[in-house]
């Protein structure tokens, strides 16, 4: 297997809901494992997500987990997930779903560099950038 670079998102208690949402956006196969399945069957964290992975048919890969009790969870603005390419239909579809219920920070429209671009924060607090590369 070749090396893969992918986003790994941290949530407080809603990793399952977020990953199911992303599965509805991108399709693919979602696998989810709880802390209870891997050695902590009792307690507050048993049903929290220890590791979730979504692998879409187009090769997108997204991973996530809930933050266990007692560990700091500090959502921030130091990371965004970027989707880019030249398949305008797919990318616009992702934009529509990701921005629905979230906050649009840059409207999805043609930008000064010639591409269509938009930025939003989805309903789970994850910042996304979507860029449709214009053919020269």
């Amino acid at each position: 297997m070749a090396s893969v670079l992918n986003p790994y998102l941290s949530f407080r208690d809603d990793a399952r809901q977020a990953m199911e949402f992303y599965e509805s956006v991108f399709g693919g196969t979602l696998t989810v494992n709880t802390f209870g399945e891997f050695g902590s069957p009792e307690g507050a964290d048993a049903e929290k997500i220890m590791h979730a992975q979504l692998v879409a048919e187009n090769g997108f890969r997204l991973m996530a987990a809930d933050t266990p009790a007692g560990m700091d969870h500090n959502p921030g603005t130091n990371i965004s997930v970027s989707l880019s390419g030249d398949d305008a239909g797919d990318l616009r579809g992702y934009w529509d779903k990701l921005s629905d219920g979230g906050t649009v920070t840059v409207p999805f429209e043609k930008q000064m560099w010639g591409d269509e671009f938009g930025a939003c924060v989805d309903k789970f607090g994850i910042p996304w950038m979507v860029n449709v590369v214009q053919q020269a």
Side-chain angles (χ1 to χ4, degrees):
M1 174 179 179
S3 297
V4 176
L5 176 67
N6 57 269
Y8 201 110
L9 307 175
S10 295
F11 297 91
R12 172 48 73 198
D13 296 319
D14 56 0
R16 180 182 302 276
Q17 295 91 333
M19 293 301 284
E20 288 172 352
F21 170 68
Y22 299 135
E23 180 183 28
S24 77
V25 172
F26 301 113
T29 303
L30 175 62
T31 56
V32 177
N33 300 103
T34 65
F35 286 97
E37 293 172 318
F38 288 99
S40 298
E42 305 295 326
D45 292 335
E47 294 302 313
K48 288 186 179 181
I49 304 306
M50 186 177 110
H51 179 73
Q53 178 174 269
L54 174 63
V55 179
E57 291 177 20
N58 62 6
F60 289 176
R61 184 180 305 256
L62 188 60
M63 296 179 181
D66 285 318
T67 303
M71 290 182 67
D72 287 338
H73 176 70
N74 299 310
T77 57
N78 59 339
I79 186 171
S80 293
V81 183
S82 176
L83 295 171
S84 59
D86 60 6
D87 190 327
D90 279 353
L91 290 164
R92 283 188 192 109
Y94 299 145
W95 168 262
D96 290 342
K97 292 175 184 177
L98 290 165
S99 62
D100 185 35
T103 302
V104 173
T105 55
V106 177
F108 189 77
E109 60 191 17
K110 188 167 184 162
Q111 302 295 325
M112 67 179 105
W113 60 89
D115 293 350
E116 288 181 88
F117 173 86
C120 67
V121 177
D122 72 23
K123 61 187 174 185
F124 294 99
I126 302 300
W128 292 83
M129 300 181 295
V130 179
N131 190 81
V132 178
V133 176
Q134 299 303 302
Q135 300 297 323

